[in-house]
Amino acid sequence: MPQERRALLIGSPSFGLQGVAFDVGQMRVELEAWGFRCAQCAGEDATRDGILTALRELVARTHAGDAVAIYYAGHGGRCRAAAPEGASPTPAWNYLVPMDHDFSTRFRGIAEFEFAALLHELAAHTPNVTVILDCCHAAGTFRADERARSVPELPFVPDALAEALARQQRSGLELHPDGHPEVVRVVATASDSSAFELSRDGQSSGYLTTELCAALAEARQVPMPWDAILGQVRERIMARRGSMTQRPEVEGPRRRLPFSLREVVATGEHATLVFGADGTPWARAGRLHGLREGDRLEIQDGSDAVVATGAIAELFEDSARLELEEGARAAGLGLGSTVVLRHPTVRRTVRVQPEALGVSGLCSGLDQSQRLSLVTSGDALLTVSLADGCLHVSGPSWLRRSPRPATPEGIEALVEDLDAVARAEILLHELESPRGLPQGSTPLRWTFEVFVTEPGSRSPRLLRPGEILREGTRLYAELRHSTRAKPTLYVNLIERGVAGRPTLVSRSEPAGMELRAEETRWVGRRAHGGPLGMRLLWPKDVPRGEVGRERLLCVVSYRPLDLRSLVEGPRARRAEGTSRGKRDTVLGASLYWDVAQVEFGLQTNGD
């Protein structure tokens, strides 16, 4: 069958929201310009039954090769099970708020696990699924009018919600712990944060929808991946509101072009361009990202065309003041443009043994790497040798690699792999020297514990540091912020696995998962309706037969911290000007963070 583009627009103006109908109209115009056939479930039709019926009809009509978009504008809610007296609150439930929801009677919300199950069914038909949620708590699944009351949290789990969870568990459908990996999810804000409406010329509309429609219109003319689009949207919203409290994100395959399976190839480590109060350009990356003063950079527009070049003039933990070449301001730099690091100072050494020096393309490939420095003698972190027509890698005691063929494809894979190992070492080195609270400040009490569920078991237990786990074991982290009346913390959970490559585990909130006072949250496990953790798998390019070493780092900071550039680097695959003051953008300010970590072993089955 020929490919179809299908979109469902859901608008629930419950509890006094003023801009939902306008936003549905804005998004419909934009999606139709992208070639979508749009269906709506909005206004009085957006009841619980109406929304679920429309979603199920969309699943039934979808075929392989189709492109699907789902847009939701409205409130979102949160509730939680009552905890025993004196205990920390249990993880919260997020849900969408239909028109017939009534807090005084029977629960009529659409729980996040119900919505996730329908996305799972859609992705089984086609991986080309995009979800846009303009609501509060969007990263978990209420948009708030600044003049209207917020939807309150419920201190209990309603019977209807418990019944829905029981039905989900009986279905046997195993939901992904952090969202389906093939579904692009554009979210207005973090799981525990609000999204807002703005009012212009007497018309209310959602910040996300307004800025996203404008950015998507630009992307029809100049192709941009989702992460570049959301980088612009995020900075424009924070500048317009003068606040960092609403930070839109893209989850899932963020390098995809909109409504496509094609992923663009990243050509370097990226940061976002912002401006200080005096118009000075800054990058949202700093010392923690492996940058140093003098590092060279480029600024690109959405099409990856270079519009300016320059260097880092002043460096802080998570921001850097830029000095651009003369005339760069006239080149049309825009808020949210991409800053690309070209020649970083911080690198790790790799030595090529004499017998491998003659392999065509090996030395040039290593020399062009972002984070490797090629040497031919002396000590080095990594060593490459040649034997039996294959390239072999040696290094730290934990490093093991299967040989790569000495072919162009094998060399490309080897360089990408060693670059990732170098980035992991740089990141760990930078993070392990935490900047604590200023002298005299009261320390914050937070805990980080890791739980495992053995294969064949449904009872999680606490991980013992240094113990050896079997392949197939499930793992998740539990985080608690037990200090009252203190600011929100932001958590990044990073894994250096058996292969030595860094992975951002807290993918659902990639600029730091919000952890509020007296809050409990999980990473790698759904609060409701999912498996008890992420399954540990042995990498294909690591020889089997020996125990590998894994390391989990929990980085807690005192404002959002986006580590994706150093964690993910330039690796990617292919598949078929507003200015605000430093108070608003937090540029050139000290960042305080703390780190906890745990190490354990992983063995393959049968070892």
Side-chain angles (χ1 to χ4, degrees):
M1 297 182 63
Q3 178 180 338
E4 296 280 353
R5 290 196 159 203
R6 308 174 188 277
L8 173 62
L9 297 97
I10 305 169
S12 175
S14 58
F15 299 98
L17 284 177
Q18 301 297 309
V20 169
F22 182 76
D23 284 342
V24 169
Q26 286 191 92
M27 188 58 68
R28 180 172 192 135
V29 169
E30 186 56 37
L31 290 178
E32 287 177 343
W34 282 88
F36 281 90
R37 296 171 55 191
C38 297
Q40 284 189 196
C41 179
E44 295 302 319
D45 294 332
T47 61
R48 172 181 163 83
D49 291 342
I51 294 172
L52 290 176
T53 297
L55 287 167
R56 290 169 182 143
E57 289 176 352
L58 179 64
V59 172
R61 293 195 305 268
T62 299
H63 302 91
D66 287 353
V68 176
I70 299 173
Y71 169 79
Y72 173 83
H75 276 307
R78 285 167 72 79
C79 64
R80 65 178 76 249
E85 186 174 352
S88 297
T90 59
W93 309 62
N94 290 358
Y95 58 91
L96 305 181
V97 181
M99 289 298 293
D100 57 340
H101 191 62
D102 186 340
F103 295 108
S104 64
T105 58
R106 197 167 190 266
F107 177 82
R108 298 288 294 168
I110 298 175
E112 53 89 13
F113 61 82
E114 295 179 283
F115 190 66
L118 288 163
L119 294 182
H120 189 285
E121 292 183 47
L122 265 176
H125 293 296
T126 176
N128 192 356
V129 179
T130 303
V131 179
I132 302 169
L133 299 176
D134 193 352
C135 56
C136 294
H137 316 309
T141 358
F142 140 64
R143 180 167 80 180
D145 186 316
E146 296 189 47
R147 302 161 298 176
R149 69 180 182 89
S150 298
V151 177
E153 292 189 7
L154 303 177
F156 59 91
V157 175
D159 290 344
L161 191 54
E163 292 166 7
L165 178 58
R167 288 194 300 271
Q168 168 66 36
Q169 293 171 334
R170 287 194 300 269
S171 73
L173 181 64
E174 187 174 286
L175 301 176
H176 294 267
D178 293 304
H180 199 289
E182 291 294 330
V183 175
V184 174
R185 300 175 300 282
V186 176
V187 298
T189 192
S191 177
D192 200 22
S193 293
S194 296
F196 297 94
E197 288 189 341
L198 63 95
S199 180
R200 290 187 301 182
D201 301 323
Q203 175 61 61
S204 296
S205 61
Y207 277 97
L208 174 70
T209 300
T210 297
E211 296 294 350
L212 181 60
C213 285
L216 285 173
E218 294 176 18
R220 282 189 275 116
Q221 308 301 320
V222 180
M224 291 184 284
W226 279 113
D227 61 348
I229 292 171
L230 264 294
Q232 295 182 15
V233 169
R234 179 168 54 251
E235 295 298 336
R236 290 170 183 172
I237 289 176
M238 289 194 297
R240 188 190 290 268
R241 295 198 68 247
S243 168
M244 298 183 73
T245 57
Q246 181 176 349
R247 293 175 53 87
E249 279 290 356
V250 58
E251 303 168 4
R254 66 189 185 95
R255 292 297 294 175
R256 278 186 190 172
L257 293 175
F259 317 115
S260 167
L261 293 180
R262 180 168 172 258
E263 293 195 9
V264 300
V265 175
T267 56
E269 294 176 16
H270 292 181
T272 303
L273 179 70
V274 293
F275 297 104
D278 57 357
T280 302
W282 290 71
R284 285 206 187 278
R287 191 178 306 279
L288 279 174
H289 300 83
L291 306 186
R292 292 296 183 267
E293 291 182 8
D295 284 353
R296 303 296 299 174
L297 54 90
E298 296 173 351
I299 297 179
Q300 300 177 350
D301 62 17
S303 66
D304 290 346
V306 178
V307 297
T309 58
I312 296 173
E314 188 177 12
L315 195 65
F316 298 87
E317 282 80 12
D318 61 342
S319 60
R321 183 173 60 82
L322 311 181
E323 188 172 86
L324 303 183
E325 303 293 344
E326 187 176 353
R329 290 294 295 155
L333 301 183
L335 182 71
S337 294
T338 301
V339 179
V340 184
L341 186 64
R342 280 301 176 211
H343 301 287
T345 302
V346 180
R347 295 169 178 252
R348 292 296 181 263
T349 54
V350 55
R351 183 175 70 246
V352 178
Q353 296 284 51
E355 69 275 9
L357 289 173
V359 175
S360 177
L362 174 60
C363 289
S364 61
L366 291 170
D367 197 43
Q368 292 170 16
S369 164
Q370 287 283 108
R371 291 296 181 177
L372 296 173
S373 180
L374 179 62
V375 297
T376 55
S377 62
D379 294 334
L381 174 69
L382 304 162
T383 300
V384 180
S385 58
L386 178 68
D388 301 324
C390 290
L391 297 168
H392 299 255
V393 176
S394 58
S397 59
W398 49 262
L399 181 70
R400 296 192 311 279
R401 284 295 184 280
S402 297
R404 300 278 192 181
T407 63
E409 294 78 11
I411 292 170
E412 182 181 7
L414 176 76
V415 172
E416 283 189 354
D417 188 37
L418 298 189
D419 184 82
V421 172
R423 282 187 282 107
E425 291 298 294
I426 292 167
L427 182 65
L428 294 177
H429 175 76
E430 297 297 334
L431 290 174
E432 287 178 336
S433 300
R435 180 189 290 271
L437 286 172
Q439 187 174 6
S441 298
T442 303
L444 302 184
R445 296 191 300 273
W446 62 279
T447 60
F448 163 62
E449 293 183 314
V450 179
F451 292 82
V452 296
T453 307
E454 300 285 358
S457 171
R458 293 195 58 82
S459 299
R461 62 171 178 81
L462 190 65
L463 173 70
R464 299 184 299 275
E467 74 168 296
I468 298 174
L469 303 177
R470 288 186 295 157
E471 184 180 10
T473 299
R474 291 188 178 275
L475 174 148
Y476 67 91
E478 182 176 279
L479 299 144
R480 293 179 183 268
H481 180 357
S482 56
T483 307
R484 292 189 176 188
K486 290 292 182 180
T488 298
L489 302 177
Y490 297 88
V491 178
N492 280 279
L493 189 63
I494 299 166
E495 174 194 31
R496 189 187 71 182
V498 169
R501 293 183 285 263
T503 301
L504 184 65
V505 181
S506 49
R507 292 185 297 270
S508 62
E509 293 176 51
M513 186 179 72
E514 291 189 358
L515 185 63
R516 294 179 179 263
E518 299 191 297
E519 180 74 83
T520 299
R521 294 198 64 183
W522 290 328
V523 182
R525 172 185 174 182
R526 283 184 175 272
H528 312 285
L532 298 179
M534 307 169 294
R535 194 184 301 276
L536 296 174
L537 300 175
W538 193 266
K540 294 181 180 179
D541 59 347
V542 175
R544 304 175 75 87
E546 296 182 26
V547 174
R549 307 310 303 179
E550 298 246 0
R551 191 175 185 183
L552 279 176
L553 274 82
C554 182
V555 183
V556 175
S557 56
Y558 298 85
R559 62 173 177 266
L561 176 61
D562 190 339
L563 295 172
R564 281 173 291 186
S565 65
L566 194 55
V567 171
E568 298 178 5
R571 300 178 64 216
R573 61 182 176 86
R574 286 190 184 274
E576 298 285 281
T578 304
S579 68
R580 305 294 298 183
K582 291 184 179 181
R583 178 181 60 83
D584 299 331
T585 52
V586 197
L587 300 172
S590 295
L591 173 69
Y592 304 105
W593 77 93
D594 199 2
V595 176
Q597 58 183 299
V598 62
E599 295 189 13
F600 59 93
L602 181 65
Q603 65 180 9
T604 59
N605 292 325
D607 294 345

